[in-house]
Each structure stands twice: as structure tokens, then as C-alpha cells.
Amino acid sequence: QVQLVESGGGLVQPGGSLRLSCAASRDIFSINVMGWYRQAPGKQREVVATITKESSTNYADSVKGRFTISRDNAKNTLDLQMNSLKPEDTAVYYCYGFVIGPIRGNAYWGRGTQVTVSS
């Protein structure tokens, strides 16, 4: 089992910044893909950004140029730097990890952290 714990959420004004962090219970060398998802009330959970073991990144069009995903292998953490925040970024943000096994893969989720962008 892999436990993922998010932190860093809060209330911020439009145009402001927040930095989210996800702590993993084991070394992230073994996690093939990590990422951040978000879910707003009444909407489906959507991918925000992902990063592979090889440090290849992908971003949703809505956050390109504003958000940056990174991983710190020494600390076993995944971060999301969020700049130029907009009200539509308001959501619960979830940390995600995918581990490839011999015959199947396993997905792991954190419990989420609330981000609210409002004036």
C-alpha cells in the first residue's frame, strides 16, 4: 500500500499563488506516474498535471503556463506550484500515484486538500 497525504490548500485571492505538497509513504522511485487531479462541486474529477519517473510532464490546457508540477525524490514528495490563480481553479485537489506491477497496475489517491480562489 502507498499512502499519499496532501497539504498546502487554502483561501487565496484571484491572481495569487499557492503551493501544494503531497507526501508519499514510500520512496517515489517506485511510483511510475504521479499527478494532481481536482474536483469542483457538481463536476467530474479532472487531471491537472502529471509527471513520470523520467520527469516527463503534462498539463491540462486550463493550467498551462500557470501551474508547475515537480517531484523531490529525496523527500518523497510531489509539489504543485500554482500561480495566477483564477476562481475556476477552486476545487479539492488530490494527489495521485500509479504503480506498474507484474500483471496489473495499482492507483493510489490522497484524501484531498481544498483550494478556494475568491475575492
Side-chain angles (χ1 to χ4, degrees), residues 25-85:
S25 63
R26 73 185 196 193
D27 73 82
I28 61 175
F29 298 138
S30 64
I31 304 177
N32 299 93
V33 181
M34 299 191 74
W36 291 93
Y37 286 67
R38 67 186 182 187
Q39 186 169 23
K43 296 184 178 180
Q44 296 293 314
R45 188 173 299 186
E46 63 178 357
V47 63
V48 176
T50 61
I51 185 168
T52 68
K53 290 178 62 177
E54 297 74 32
S55 298
S56 177
T57 60
N58 288 102
Y59 296 91
D61 288 341
S62 59
V63 307
K64 286 181 179 177
R66 300 189 298 120
F67 292 9
T68 302
I69 189 171
S70 61
R71 58 196 297 164
D72 188 330
N73 293 339
K75 296 181 179 180
N76 293 330
T77 58
L78 176 77
D79 292 339
L80 183 69
Q81 178 66 46
M82 305 186 295
N83 298 327
S84 302
L85 283 162

